Amino acid sequence: SPLKPDVRGIPTPAGNVVARNAADLLAINCRVIIVPALRVAKDGTRLGQGGGYYDRLLRHFPSHASISGGPLRLTIVNESEVFDELPSDPHDQRVDRWVIA
């Protein structure tokens, strides 16, 4: 699908939107959220681009490992982007798994 700038100027796929926020994702029983990352640590700490957008979204969902089993938090990175550890702040949300592209 072609890309068009969203309200922040970020190229976004044009077409039908399934969900616009955490409430929409919860309503459709979302099972996987693909989270962008520049780097990821083996404990799931993720380095994004600094806007905090995904951290704010993910805090609305229970952990995938919890009893309530929230959506799997997945990121796709290159092998060179996986580190033993990365710095994190208390508000940072971790991913459950990463896939090496």
Short mmCIF file of all heavy atoms in Angstrom, two decimals, residues 35-41 45-50 75-83 86:
data_model
loop_
_atom_site.label_atom_id
_atom_site.label_comp_id
_atom_site.label_asym_id
_atom_site.label_seq_id
_atom_site.Cartn_x
_atom_site.Cartn_y
_atom_site.Cartn_z
N VAL A 35 7.10 -3.66 17.59
CA VAL A 35 7.63 -2.41 18.12
C VAL A 35 8.96 -2.10 17.42
O VAL A 35 9.86 -2.94 17.42
CB VAL A 35 7.86 -2.54 19.64
CG1 VAL A 35 8.32 -1.23 20.23
CG2 VAL A 35 6.61 -3.03 20.33
N PRO A 36 9.13 -0.91 16.84
CA PRO A 36 10.40 -0.58 16.21
C PRO A 36 11.51 -0.41 17.25
O PRO A 36 11.25 -0.02 18.39
CB PRO A 36 10.12 0.72 15.47
CG PRO A 36 8.96 1.32 16.18
CD PRO A 36 8.16 0.18 16.74
N ALA A 37 12.74 -0.70 16.84
CA ALA A 37 13.88 -0.53 17.75
C ALA A 37 15.13 -0.24 16.93
O ALA A 37 15.30 -0.78 15.84
CB ALA A 37 14.08 -1.78 18.59
N LEU A 38 15.98 0.60 17.50
CA LEU A 38 17.31 0.82 16.93
C LEU A 38 18.29 -0.20 17.48
O LEU A 38 19.23 -0.61 16.81
CB LEU A 38 17.80 2.23 17.25
CG LEU A 38 16.94 3.38 16.72
CD1 LEU A 38 17.45 4.71 17.24
CD2 LEU A 38 16.93 3.36 15.21
N ARG A 39 18.04 -0.60 18.72
CA ARG A 39 18.84 -1.61 19.41
C ARG A 39 17.94 -2.32 20.42
O ARG A 39 16.97 -1.76 20.89
CB ARG A 39 20.01 -0.98 20.17
CG ARG A 39 21.00 -0.33 19.27
CD ARG A 39 22.18 0.20 20.08
NE ARG A 39 23.13 0.79 19.16
CZ ARG A 39 23.69 1.97 19.31
NH1 ARG A 39 23.40 2.69 20.36
NH2 ARG A 39 24.54 2.42 18.42
N VAL A 40 18.33 -3.55 20.78
CA VAL A 40 17.62 -4.29 21.81
C VAL A 40 18.64 -5.05 22.65
O VAL A 40 19.68 -5.48 22.14
CB VAL A 40 16.56 -5.25 21.20
CG1 VAL A 40 17.19 -6.36 20.41
CG2 VAL A 40 15.63 -5.80 22.27
N ALA A 41 18.39 -5.14 23.95
CA ALA A 41 19.25 -5.91 24.84
C ALA A 41 18.62 -7.28 25.06
O ALA A 41 17.43 -7.48 24.86
CB ALA A 41 19.43 -5.19 26.17
N THR A 45 15.23 -4.87 26.91
CA THR A 45 15.33 -3.41 26.90
C THR A 45 15.48 -2.96 25.46
O THR A 45 16.28 -3.50 24.71
CB THR A 45 16.53 -2.94 27.73
OG1 THR A 45 16.38 -3.40 29.07
CG2 THR A 45 16.65 -1.43 27.72
N ARG A 46 14.69 -1.95 25.08
CA ARG A 46 14.66 -1.49 23.69
C ARG A 46 15.07 -0.04 23.62
O ARG A 46 14.67 0.78 24.44
CB ARG A 46 13.22 -1.66 23.18
CG ARG A 46 12.98 -1.19 21.77
CD ARG A 46 11.49 -1.25 21.46
NE ARG A 46 10.75 -0.27 22.22
CZ ARG A 46 10.53 0.98 21.82
NH1 ARG A 46 10.97 1.40 20.66
NH2 ARG A 46 9.85 1.82 22.57
N LEU A 47 15.87 0.26 22.63
CA LEU A 47 16.23 1.65 22.36
C LEU A 47 15.46 2.07 21.12
O LEU A 47 15.65 1.50 20.04
CB LEU A 47 17.73 1.80 22.13
CG LEU A 47 18.22 3.19 21.78
CD1 LEU A 47 17.98 4.15 22.93
CD2 LEU A 47 19.70 3.15 21.42
N GLY A 48 14.55 3.02 21.30
CA GLY A 48 13.78 3.53 20.17
C GLY A 48 14.40 4.83 19.68
O GLY A 48 15.60 5.04 19.81
N GLN A 49 13.56 5.70 19.15
CA GLN A 49 14.06 6.97 18.63
C GLN A 49 13.86 8.12 19.59
O GLN A 49 14.04 9.28 19.24
CB GLN A 49 13.41 7.26 17.28
CG GLN A 49 13.85 6.26 16.23
CD GLN A 49 13.38 6.64 14.85
OE1 GLN A 49 12.77 7.68 14.62
NE2 GLN A 49 13.66 5.77 13.90
N GLY A 50 13.46 7.83 20.82
CA GLY A 50 13.41 8.85 21.85
C GLY A 50 12.10 9.57 22.03
O GLY A 50 11.99 10.42 22.90
N THR A 75 10.10 -7.12 18.34
CA THR A 75 10.83 -6.17 17.52
C THR A 75 11.69 -6.94 16.53
O THR A 75 12.05 -8.10 16.77
CB THR A 75 11.68 -5.20 18.37
OG1 THR A 75 12.14 -4.13 17.54
CG2 THR A 75 12.86 -5.88 19.03
N ILE A 76 12.01 -6.30 15.44
CA ILE A 76 12.83 -6.90 14.39
C ILE A 76 14.08 -6.06 14.25
O ILE A 76 13.99 -4.84 14.02
CB ILE A 76 12.06 -6.95 13.05
CG1 ILE A 76 10.75 -7.74 13.24
CG2 ILE A 76 12.91 -7.58 11.95
CD1 ILE A 76 9.77 -7.63 12.10
N VAL A 77 15.24 -6.69 14.42
CA VAL A 77 16.51 -5.98 14.38
C VAL A 77 17.54 -6.77 13.57
O VAL A 77 17.34 -7.95 13.29
CB VAL A 77 17.06 -5.74 15.81
CG1 VAL A 77 16.20 -4.76 16.58
CG2 VAL A 77 17.21 -7.04 16.57
N ASN A 78 18.63 -6.12 13.24
CA ASN A 78 19.78 -6.80 12.66
C ASN A 78 20.59 -7.41 13.78
O ASN A 78 20.53 -6.94 14.92
CB ASN A 78 20.65 -5.82 11.86
CG ASN A 78 19.95 -5.30 10.63
OD1 ASN A 78 19.37 -6.08 9.86
ND2 ASN A 78 19.97 -4.00 10.44
N GLU A 79 21.38 -8.42 13.48
CA GLU A 79 22.19 -9.07 14.50
C GLU A 79 23.11 -8.09 15.21
O GLU A 79 23.31 -8.19 16.43
CB GLU A 79 23.00 -10.20 13.86
CG GLU A 79 23.70 -11.08 14.86
CD GLU A 79 24.32 -12.31 14.23
OE1 GLU A 79 24.15 -12.53 13.03
OE2 GLU A 79 24.97 -13.05 14.98
N SER A 80 23.63 -7.10 14.50
CA SER A 80 24.53 -6.11 15.09
C SER A 80 23.81 -5.16 16.05
O SER A 80 24.45 -4.37 16.74
CB SER A 80 25.22 -5.30 13.99
OG SER A 80 24.26 -4.57 13.24
N GLU A 81 22.48 -5.22 16.11
CA GLU A 81 21.70 -4.33 16.96
C GLU A 81 21.25 -5.00 18.26
O GLU A 81 20.49 -4.43 19.03
CB GLU A 81 20.48 -3.82 16.18
CG GLU A 81 20.89 -2.99 14.98
CD GLU A 81 19.77 -2.72 14.00
OE1 GLU A 81 18.79 -3.49 13.96
OE2 GLU A 81 19.89 -1.74 13.24
N VAL A 82 21.74 -6.22 18.53
CA VAL A 82 21.43 -6.94 19.77
C VAL A 82 22.63 -6.80 20.70
O VAL A 82 23.76 -7.13 20.33
CB VAL A 82 21.12 -8.43 19.50
CG1 VAL A 82 20.84 -9.15 20.81
CG2 VAL A 82 19.95 -8.58 18.54
N PHE A 83 22.39 -6.32 21.93
CA PHE A 83 23.44 -6.06 22.90
C PHE A 83 23.20 -6.86 24.17
O PHE A 83 22.07 -7.27 24.46
CB PHE A 83 23.49 -4.57 23.23
CG PHE A 83 23.98 -3.73 22.08
CD1 PHE A 83 23.14 -3.41 21.02
CD2 PHE A 83 25.29 -3.28 22.05
CE1 PHE A 83 23.60 -2.66 19.96
CE2 PHE A 83 25.75 -2.51 20.99
CZ PHE A 83 24.91 -2.20 19.94
N LEU A 86 21.54 -2.58 27.77
CA LEU A 86 21.37 -1.18 27.35
C LEU A 86 20.85 -0.40 28.55
O LEU A 86 20.18 -0.96 29.42
CB LEU A 86 20.34 -1.07 26.22
CG LEU A 86 20.73 -1.61 24.85
CD1 LEU A 86 19.51 -1.63 23.92
CD2 LEU A 86 21.83 -0.76 24.24
#
